[in-house]
Amino acid sequence: MSTWDYEIFWKEALNQIRQELGEHEFAMWFNMEYLHSTEKEIVVAVPSSFYRDQVTMRYKNLIEGKLHELAGKDLKVIFEVRPRNKDVSPASQSIKENGHSTNNEISSPKTPKTEQISVPKKDPHPQLRQDYTFDNYVIGDNNSFAANAAIAIAKNPGGAYNPFLVYGGVGLGKTHLMQAIGNYIHQNSNARIIYITAENFTNEFIQAIQANKTAAFKNKYRFVDILLIDDIHFLQKKNETQEELFHTFNALYDANKQMVFTCDRPVSELKNLSDRLRSRFERGLTVDLQPPNYETRYAILQKKAESRGVQIPKEVLELISRNVTSNVRDLEAALTKLIAYAELVGKPITIEVAQQHLKDVFASPKQTNMSIEVIQRVVADYFSLSINDLRGKKRTQNIVLARQLAMYIGREITEYSTTELGMEFGGRDHTTVMHACQKIEEKLRSDPSLDPILQKLIRDIKDYSTKN
Ligand code: ADP
Ligand code: MG
């Protein structure tokens, strides 16, 4: 028995936080189990290191602030990772469990995992690609939150995460993930599922108006169980379609029907979108997909080569993973090109063949442009922040400094203009970048401890670019 027992403060702090955040967010992140206390600490269990990092970033200050108010002294919260079952990959474990979705699904992604969720056989869904399954989706740091949330939704559609909105750049796996949800639900239930791109949704709606069949259109979309709409950025300026989707949304939302949307940017950055539709999109869970890191790129290539039944030497996979950094689509394209060549000339795929035939792919500007992301990643890591913090709007001291440093480094070591840099930092204006650079220059003059940090960051960035 410990002399110190702060469980009562812990419980009350959580109670108050629940009221402040609301059930939805609370249920998502506060799946913690009180373990014990010491004089100055409260130790609680969390299900994974990913979860621990997220919670530390998002809520540690809030929790410790509450504890301070309640206990009248500083109490640190220590998150101890206690996976529920070490033998099973957490993501595949979560889908096998029958309970309703809890945040335990958010798993640690240290090594990229390939989903092992076998799907029972049933006729394929006519609108879904059969190979877009969780089985074929490699989970890495860049997508683990999105992927685990998608799995939770597939298990329990219409539950806690409605709507589910995935955003991110081209070729990062948005469509694959969305369809994996559809495929899983299709295979495991009799739910009526519609997958459609926002563009086709718009076209269909226009045709319905022209043919005087809007009632049929409404019926079709307002009475589905699962609605998957891909690439909603297409809806910008399509006012009537937005209006129609708004009503569809409300009907489905009220009936607890699951909706999933994808978008190529944060919804807040969409222009010419009605405020009420925007607020609906943002009502549920929003997650972003980042470009995959080296390990994940390697794992994806391995998976793709395997599924095509081709043997590819390790050095070749390493070569491609190192050089194609933009997105998964480009990664796959490089592999396809290589396989096609080897088949055509009947030669084995060697490192020489790969080097020779992928030269153009590797040299494309897209691949060399990755440096801003690398800069953001290295700087964010150094400050224990996420890339999104640097691109986002938060203005805590720490984030502002990190963001300004990253912009400064971007200007120093890349060819990007301040306008382009601004775009890479969440669509900021070029004057913001110029201001950031001025600030850092001033700081460098007044604070001698900053320069060594800056130099270390630049070294790490260069190292990272050559190794990855
Ligand atoms: P987006 O919709 O974001 O543009 P897609 O979903 O079309 O991207 O993905 C592009 C390609 O990359 C697809 O062939 C998809 O299967 C593949 N892909 C993307 N992410 C992954 C991943 N994590 N694991 C395996 N394949 C992936
Ligand atoms: Mg897509």
Side-chain angles (χ1 to χ4, degrees), residues 113 129 131-134 136-140 142-143 147 166-178 195 230-231 262-263 289 292 296 299-301 303-304 308 327-332:
K113 288 196 181 71
R129 268 185 62 158
D131 56 336
Y132 281 180
T133 58
F134 289 123
N136 292 337
Y137 202 77
V138 176
I139 300 183
N142 61 309
N143 61 19
V166 184
Y167 72 90
V170 61
L172 293 180
K174 300 183 295 293
T175 299
H176 186 142
L177 201 56
M178 170 182 251
Y195 165 87
D230 210 352
D231 295 329
T262 70
C263 190
L289 289 175
T296 311
I300 290 173
L301 282 175
K303 180 98 204 161
K304 301 272 174 198
R308 295 187 195 183
N327 65 52
V328 185
R329 186 169 297 153
D330 292 348
L331 204 59
E332 237 185 318

Side-chain angles (χ1 to χ4, degrees), residues 156-168:
N156 182 29
Y161 312 124
N162 198 22
F164 179 45
L165 189 135
V166 184
Y167 72 90

Side-chain angles (χ1 to χ4, degrees), residues 116-128:
Q116 295 297 330
I117 305 157
S118 298
V119 179
K121 278 277 154 279
K122 183 171 159 188
D123 283 348
H125 187 286
Q127 292 150 349
L128 300 173

Side-chain angles (χ1 to χ4, degrees), residues 319-333:
L319 179 80
I320 305 177
S321 312
R322 241 193 338 269
N323 288 287
V324 181
T325 52
S326 48
N327 65 52
V328 185
R329 186 169 297 153
D330 292 348
L331 204 59
E332 237 185 318

Side-chain angles (χ1 to χ4, degrees), residues 154-352:
K155 259 179 60 183
N156 182 29
Y161 312 124
N162 198 22
F164 179 45
L165 189 135
V166 184
Y167 72 90
V170 61
L172 293 180
K174 300 183 295 293
T175 299
H176 186 142
L177 201 56
M178 170 182 251
Q179 295 208 5
I181 297 175
N183 273 317
Y184 185 86
I185 298 174
H186 177 67
Q187 290 297 339
N188 290 286
S189 75
N190 292 322
R192 281 161 303 174
I193 303 167
I194 290 186
Y195 165 87
I196 191 160
T197 61
E199 184 172 4
N200 285 340
F201 183 83
T202 305
N203 293 339
E204 225 180 86
F205 181 55
I206 293 170
Q207 279 163 14
I209 295 175
Q210 286 166 349
N212 250 329
K213 289 190 176 148
T214 49
F217 182 89
K218 286 183 209 303
N219 277 335
K220 175 174 171 192
Y221 287 97
R222 292 184 196 175
F223 294 97
V224 294
D225 298 310
I226 313 286
L227 180 60
L228 313 170
I229 301 189
D230 210 352
D231 295 329
I232 55 163
H233 44 270
F234 185 85
L235 296 173
Q236 293 174 110
K237 294 199 187 135
K238 311 287 185 304
N239 295 345
E240 279 186 55
T241 312
Q242 287 179 26
E243 169 87 15
E244 178 58 28
L245 182 57
F246 172 76
H247 294 295
T248 305
F249 185 108
N250 290 342
L252 294 177
Y253 188 84
D254 290 344
N256 288 327
K257 304 299 186 187
Q258 182 70 47
M259 286 169 278
V260 183
F261 303 104
T262 70
C263 190
D264 69 352
R265 68 203 82 172
V267 173
S268 58
E269 287 170 22
L270 290 176
K271 304 227 164 61
N272 301 305
L273 182 75
S274 75
D275 286 342
R276 56 186 199 167
L277 187 56
R278 188 192 312 274
S279 79
R280 294 303 185 285
F281 285 144
E282 288 174 331
R283 188 179 271 181
L285 176 65
T286 299
V287 298
D288 71 329
L289 289 175
Q290 294 286 333
N293 63 16
Y294 174 79
E295 288 79 12
T296 311
R297 296 200 292 275
Y298 187 93
I300 290 173
L301 282 175
Q302 223 174 5
K303 180 98 204 161
K304 301 272 174 198
E306 208 178 279
S307 70
R308 295 187 195 183
V310 219
Q311 287 277 342
I312 298 187
K314 192 162 161 283
E315 315 82 82
V316 174
L317 295 182
E318 283 167 1
L319 179 80
I320 305 177
S321 312
R322 241 193 338 269
N323 288 287
V324 181
T325 52
S326 48
N327 65 52
V328 185
R329 186 169 297 153
D330 292 348
L331 204 59
E332 237 185 318
L335 188 71
T336 305
K337 187 168 177 193
L338 201 56
I339 296 174
Y341 168 80
E343 278 173 0
L344 214 61
V345 300
K347 275 194 185 166
I349 299 170
T350 60
I351 186 101
E352 290 76 22

Side-chain angles (χ1 to χ4, degrees), residues 72-84:
K73 62 187 216 169
D74 280 338
L75 289 173
K76 268 202 168 344
V77 179
I78 310 289
F79 297 114
E80 208 174 286
V81 177
R82 296 215 171 161
R84 284 196 296 179

